[in-house]
Amino acid sequence: MLARSIKLAFFASSTFFWASVCQAASFNAIDEMSVKGADALAPMSRELIEKTFETDLSATKYEFSECTANYDASFKKAGSTFAIEIFAEDNPKVKFPSRNKGKLGELKSFKARIWMNLVADFSTFYPIKVGGKEIMQNMTFEDFKKLFPTSAKNEVASETKGEKRYVVLVNDPSDKTQRHALVREADKGDMPYLTHIEFVFSANKLTAVVVAQGVAC
């Protein structure tokens, strides 16, 4: 399926190599992330996505995922990759086509969750804030350590040589035990199933910021 391939291709560049033995660790956690002032963790309208990421989604292809029962699409901008996931529950008034494939222009107005792999020159999307803290492309690991000291203690393995990855968890707003939590514990083996933000460093410099949803299938 194309939709499944889109997700796999998108997350192949941001998925960790997790050890087979789960190991609990503590990570910083946040409730909010914004890009150009827009809430990047909440469903975004088509108009807001196009304005924030300076793109036109009319010709962007989508496909229905039988696994998640959502509609998937993706686009690229300024060297970064974005995956769109349209949940039916976020769009109660939208009439979706009976066919499983099409172009987003056919849907006209909709809201979607957006997952992103910000690489190359992501200053295009400034200001970027994670938990209210501004993230700059010239961030060093020492800068990251000052902002997210708990996560900085727990490097997670990567398949890319010379690359170091660190995780900041995203709190589930519907879970009162997580809401506003500054630090949470998680098994590293469970990380692919939790919404989280990956900070990727190479030679002590930030090279990517990845917003990854919990992959259900």
Side-chain angles (χ1 to χ4, degrees), residues 12-206:
S13 61
S14 62
T15 303
F16 305 139
F17 175 76
W18 299 101
S20 58
V21 178
C22 293
Q23 179 182 358
S26 294
F27 303 90
N28 286 103
I30 56 95
D31 294 316
E32 58 184 5
M33 176 181 177
S34 64
V35 176
K36 289 186 176 180
D39 186 348
L41 298 179
M44 298 174 69
S45 68
R46 171 184 171 174
E47 293 77 14
L48 185 57
I49 293 173
E50 292 182 328
K51 178 181 177 181
T52 301
F53 302 103
E54 300 177 10
T55 189
D56 183 354
L57 297 175
S58 299
T60 301
K61 296 179 180 180
Y62 74 84
E63 182 171 334
F64 179 76
S65 169
E66 294 183 359
C67 176
T68 63
N70 299 324
Y71 295 85
D72 297 333
S74 66
F75 66 92
K76 293 183 178 181
K77 180 69 178 182
S80 296
T81 306
F82 301 86
I84 292 175
E85 189 169 11
I86 304 174
F87 290 69
E89 54 264 38
D90 292 334
N91 297 274
K93 297 182 179 180
V94 174
K95 185 177 180 180
F96 293 94
S98 57
R99 59 186 183 282
N100 290 338
K101 298 180 182 181
K103 294 182 180 180
L104 290 177
E106 301 168 0
L107 301 181
K108 296 182 180 179
S109 180
F110 60 83
K111 290 184 178 180
R113 308 296 176 104
I114 188 162
W115 318 105
M116 58 194 80
N117 188 344
L118 302 176
V119 298
D121 181 13
F122 57 77
S123 62
T124 302
F125 311 109
Y126 284 173
I128 300 169
K129 294 185 178 181
V130 175
K133 301 170 183 178
E134 191 159 0
I135 307 301
M136 305 298 291
Q137 187 163 336
N138 61 358
M139 173 185 281
T140 65
F141 175 69
E142 289 303 315
D143 295 328
F144 175 81
K145 188 175 180 180
K146 292 175 183 177
L147 297 180
F148 304 106
T150 303
S151 290
K153 296 176 183 177
N154 290 293
E155 178 186 347
V156 293
S158 171
E159 292 181 321
T160 303
K161 187 177 181 180
E163 182 181 88
K164 294 188 176 182
R165 292 177 177 261
Y166 301 86
V167 168
V168 173
L169 295 176
V170 175
N171 290 323
D172 182 347
S174 66
D175 188 337
K176 293 181 180 180
T177 65
Q178 294 180 12
R179 198 171 185 181
H180 307 310
L182 299 178
V183 175
R184 283 170 50 199
E185 186 176 89
D187 286 334
K188 290 184 178 180
D190 291 338
M191 200 66 69
Y193 305 99
L194 302 175
T195 302
H196 60 278
I197 302 173
E198 307 167 13
F199 289 81
V200 185
F201 292 86
S202 181
N204 200 41
K205 299 292 184 180
L206 182 66

